[in-house]
Amino acid sequence: MNSFFVKPMFGSAKAFRVLLIAVCNLSFIALLALLVWQVASYQSRQSIQLLTERGAAMIEQSLRNAYTVLDQISLAPTESCQDIYADLQKISAATPYFRAIYIADSQTQRIFCSSAHALGKIDSPIHTLISDGATQASGIAWHENSLISDREALVIYRKLDNGRVLIGVLDSQYYKDILQLVMGLRVKTITLRVGHLQLVNQGDDFILMPLTAAKNNSTSILIDKLPVKVTAQHNSFQLRKYIETNLPLAFLLAILFLAWSSRWIWLRFGENNHFRQQVIESIQQQQFIAFYQPVIGQQNSIAGVEILARWQHPQHGLLNPDLFIQQAEAQGLLTQIMLSLIQCVEADLSKKPIPAQSRVGINITAQQLNDQAMLNAIFALNAKLKYLDYQLVVELTEEGLVSDPDLANKIIQEMGQAGIMVAIDDFGIGHSSLASLSRFPFHYLKIDKSFIDHIVSREKDQIIVANMVDMARQLNLNVVAEGVENKDQADYLAILGIDYLQGFYFSKPLPMDALSVFQFNTENSAKFPYFH
C-alpha cells in the first residue's frame, strides 16, 4: 500500500492530515467569504443610511419651513380674499418650492382664495386638495393633481382657530430633485412615503403610486412628528463595490491563515506532537511498565536483571523501547518516562522476586547525566535497593560519555561513592572504547550483541571478544555478554570466561508476574568451566 495512506504509529496518516487541512481551509474560505459579504453589506447599509438620513433631513427642513410660512400669514375672521391676495402672492413667490397658497373655510368646506388665480378668486370644494376635509389641526398628503395643473403635488395645511384653513401646495419636483440626489449610483429604489401614497422612482422619472411593503434590503428614515418616511433600497452595484474594496485584505488574510493552519494541522496531528501528547497521557495513566531480562551468572542461576521499558499502549498493545525511546529522548520526554518506570520498579522489587544480592541494571542516556531530577531518582532508587539487599548497576553508553567526559567522570565517581556500580554498555561499537575504559571507573563491561551474533563462526569476532575479556580481566572488570540466542554461543562465551550471559536463549524480558515464577531451565545451562 502507498505509504501516503498508511497511518503512522504515533500520528495521523498523511492522507488524513491533507484531508483535514483541505476541510479546515475550505471552511475558513467559506467563512471569510461570508465575512466579506457581511462587512460589504454593512458598509453598503451604512452608506445608504447616511445618504437617506441626509435626504430625509433636507425634506424635513423644507416641510418645517413650509409650515413656518403658513404660520406667518395673519388672517382675520372677516378679512376678504381681496384684502390678502397681494400678500399671498408675495409669500408664495418668495418661497421657491411653493406653487400656491390657498385659503379655505372649514365650515363651508370651500376654497375661496388662491395666490395662483387672478385676483385670488376661486370656488372649489376643499376635498380637491384635502381629502379629510381639514378635520385635523394640520396635515400633509400627496395629491395626484393640484388646482393649478395635473401634476402631483405635496399638500400641507394648517387649521386656524377662527375656522379658516391655510393650504400650501408644494412643488413635487423639488422633492424629486432631493431624492435623485440621494440615489446616485448607490440606491436602486427610493420612495418618499406620505400618508397612503408614495413618490417612487421609475426609470428616469418619479411616479405617485399606492404604498407597497418595503424590501428587506431597504433603509427607512421616519421624519420626526410627521407621517413622512424616506425609504431607499440598496443597489447591487454598491455592494459589489464594497466587496471588491475588501477583497485584497481578505486575500491577504486567507494566505496567512492557510499557511499557518496548514502548518499547525500538519504538526499538531503529525507524529511528533501526537507522540508527545500520548506519552504525557500514558505517564499519567501509568502505561509505562518495567520488564526484566534475567542475567545468568557462572552458577547457571539468576545473578541479576536488566530493567527494560515497555509501553502498554491502549491501541497498539505492548511496545518495545525501540519504537519510542529515541523519539522520547529527542523531545525531552525520556526522563519523565524513566521517572515513571522507576516508580514501577520500586513497587515490583519490593516483592523480592529475585534472589538477594542480585544486580539490577538500568540504562540512562547522556542527556540524563545533565538532568538533576533523573540523578536524584537514581540515587533514591539505589537507597531502596540497598534496603532490599539488591545492587544497582547503572548502564551508560560510550556515546553518552564522550559528549561531556568531565561531567560523566564526576557523576560516575559520585555513584561509586554511593555504592552504585556502573557498566559501559554496548562496548566496542563506539569510537573511543579503549579511551573510555582508561578514563572512567567502571565496574562492568557489556559486550555488544553485534560481536556475539557470529562468535561461533567468525574468527575475527572470536579474537575481538577474547581480547575484550582479557583486557577486562586485567582492568578488574566483570564482563557481560548481551544477545545470547543459542546454546553454542552460550557455551563458547562461558569457555572464554565471561562472567554473565544475557539473551533470549535464557529468557526474554519478563513482566513482574512472570519474573516472580521464573524457573531456570537447566538444559540451557552454559558450560562455565571454572565451576564444573
Side-chain angles (χ1 to χ4, degrees), residues 288-292 307-310 335-348 362-363:
F288 289 98
I289 59 177
F291 269 49
Y292 305 87
I307 300 168
L308 299 171
R310 294 291 186 270
T335 293
Q336 296 181 51
I337 293 176
M338 293 299 295
L339 293 177
S340 176
L341 191 70
I342 287 174
Q343 292 180 354
C344 178
V345 170
E346 291 174 351
D348 287 347
I362 186 169
N363 293 274

Side-chain angles (χ1 to χ4, degrees), residues 133-154:
T135 58
Q136 306 296 323
S138 62
I140 180 172
W142 280 115
H143 210 281
E144 294 180 355
N145 55 68
S146 66
L147 296 176
I148 303 172
S149 70
D150 293 335
R151 194 170 69 180
E152 70 278 338
L154 189 59

Side-chain angles (χ1 to χ4, degrees), residues 231-294:
T231 301
Q233 183 184 356
H234 307 176
N235 195 330
S236 58
F237 170 82
Q238 177 71 8
L239 184 59
R240 288 197 302 270
K241 176 183 175 183
Y242 281 112
I243 291 176
E244 292 170 0
T245 301
N246 291 308
L247 276 180
L249 178 59
F251 184 71
L252 177 61
L253 288 175
I255 292 177
L256 293 176
F257 178 83
L258 295 182
W260 173 83
S261 64
S262 299
R263 182 177 183 276
W264 185 86
I265 290 173
W266 193 261
L267 295 177
R268 171 64 178 79
F269 293 93
E271 188 165 352
N272 287 341
N273 192 67
H274 196 65
F275 172 82
R276 184 179 187 86
Q277 285 187 325
Q278 286 194 2
V279 167
I280 293 173
E281 291 175 1
S282 295
I283 290 173
Q284 294 172 347
Q285 297 170 14
Q286 298 181 333
Q287 293 174 359
F288 289 98
I289 59 177
F291 269 49
Y292 305 87
Q293 186 169 34

Side-chain angles (χ1 to χ4, degrees), residues 298-355:
Q298 290 188 351
Q299 300 295 337
N300 279 311
S301 60
I302 293 182
V305 292
E306 180 181 355
I307 300 168
L308 299 171
R310 294 291 186 270
W311 186 354
Q312 191 64 57
H313 197 280
Q315 282 83 41
H316 303 296
L318 192 65
L319 302 181
N320 289 332
D322 293 343
L323 296 174
F324 61 87
I325 286 294
Q326 287 187 350
Q327 194 171 359
E329 184 176 11
Q331 296 196 38
L333 296 170
L334 185 55
T335 293
Q336 296 181 51
I337 293 176
M338 293 299 295
L339 293 177
S340 176
L341 191 70
I342 287 174
Q343 292 180 354
C344 178
V345 170
E346 291 174 351
D348 287 347
L349 295 185
S350 65
K351 304 171 185 176
K352 295 190 175 183
I354 54 177

Side-chain angles (χ1 to χ4, degrees), residues 160-181:
L160 304 180
D161 293 338
N162 57 19
R164 299 291 177 90
V165 180
L166 296 175
I167 303 170
V169 177
L170 309 182
D171 191 351
S172 63
Q173 188 60 47
Y174 177 79
Y175 298 99
K176 292 178 182 179
D177 292 341
I178 293 177
L179 298 178
Q180 189 67 53
L181 181 65

Side-chain angles (χ1 to χ4, degrees), residues 62-131:
S62 72
L63 293 176
R64 297 200 182 283
N65 289 340
Y67 275 109
T68 300
V69 169
L70 295 183
D71 292 340
Q72 290 176 350
I73 298 174
S74 176
L75 189 61
T78 58
E79 201 166 8
S80 65
C81 180
Q82 186 177 359
D83 296 333
I84 61 172
Y85 171 68
D87 291 336
L88 292 181
Q89 279 195 318
K90 290 179 182 179
I91 294 173
S92 179
T95 308
Y97 47 88
F98 261 85
R99 293 174 61 185
I101 299 175
Y102 293 90
I103 301 176
D105 189 322
S106 61
Q107 297 295 326
T108 62
Q109 291 287 294
R110 306 294 293 183
I111 299 173
F112 64 88
C113 189
S114 167
S115 64
H117 289 72
L119 301 177
K121 293 182 179 180
I122 185 174
D123 185 16
S124 179
I126 195 172
H127 62 79
T128 55
L129 291 179
I130 304 175
S131 58

